[in-house]
């Protein structure tokens, strides 16, 4: 079922800060549904699926773009991120 056909009452919660701080805030209140990469999903959170009335999510892609004038520090960081992403397990195929 496409997301635009799922109509439920909702309230937007947004807080600036790190992912872990935001996660702690919503977890403490019993709030929120969010999308995270499975490797980032903390074990203490429940994974929701179609069994819970939610639609399937489309595949996602991550790209790293570099400016030609990137500093040495930026280049080292970009290289590190690129190597770390390539070391991740392959994406699971859509079910």
């Amino acid at each position: 079922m496409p997301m635009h056909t799922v109509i439920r009452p909702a309230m937007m919660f947004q807080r600036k800060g790190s992912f872990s701080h935001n996660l702690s805030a919503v977890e403490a209140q019993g709030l929120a549904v969010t999308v995270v990469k499975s490797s980032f999903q903390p074990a203490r959170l429940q994974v929701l699926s179609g069994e819970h009335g939610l639609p399937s999510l489309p595949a996602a892609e991550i790209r790293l773009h570099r400016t030609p004038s990137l500093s040495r520090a930026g280049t080292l960081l970009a290289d590190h991120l690129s190597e770390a992403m390539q070391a991740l397990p392959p994406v699971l195929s859509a079910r």
Side-chain angles (χ1 to χ4, degrees):
M1 175 183 320
M3 184 62 90
H4 67 276
T5 63
V6 178
I7 300 174
R8 297 184 184 199
M11 179 177 65
M12 179 62 102
F13 172 83
Q14 185 174 357
R15 181 176 169 207
K16 293 182 180 180
S18 71
F19 176 73
S20 61
H21 286 123
N22 289 334
L23 181 59
S24 295
V26 296
E27 189 177 21
Q29 296 296 317
L31 304 171
V33 172
T34 190
V35 176
V36 296
K37 190 172 180 328
S38 60
S39 62
F40 295 151
Q41 189 263 321
R44 67 186 183 271
L45 298 183
Q46 179 181 3
V47 176
L48 302 177
S49 67
E51 295 173 6
H52 299 93
L54 297 174
S56 297
L57 296 173
E61 194 173 286
I62 297 174
R63 294 179 182 248
L64 176 64
H65 296 269
R66 301 181 195 211
T67 180
S69 60
L70 194 60
S71 68
R72 173 77 177 137
T75 298
L76 290 171
L77 176 59
D79 289 344
H80 175 74
L81 291 172
S82 180
E83 290 169 14
M85 286 190 290
Q86 290 175 20
L88 293 172
V91 175
L92 300 174
S93 60
R95 294 172 214 178

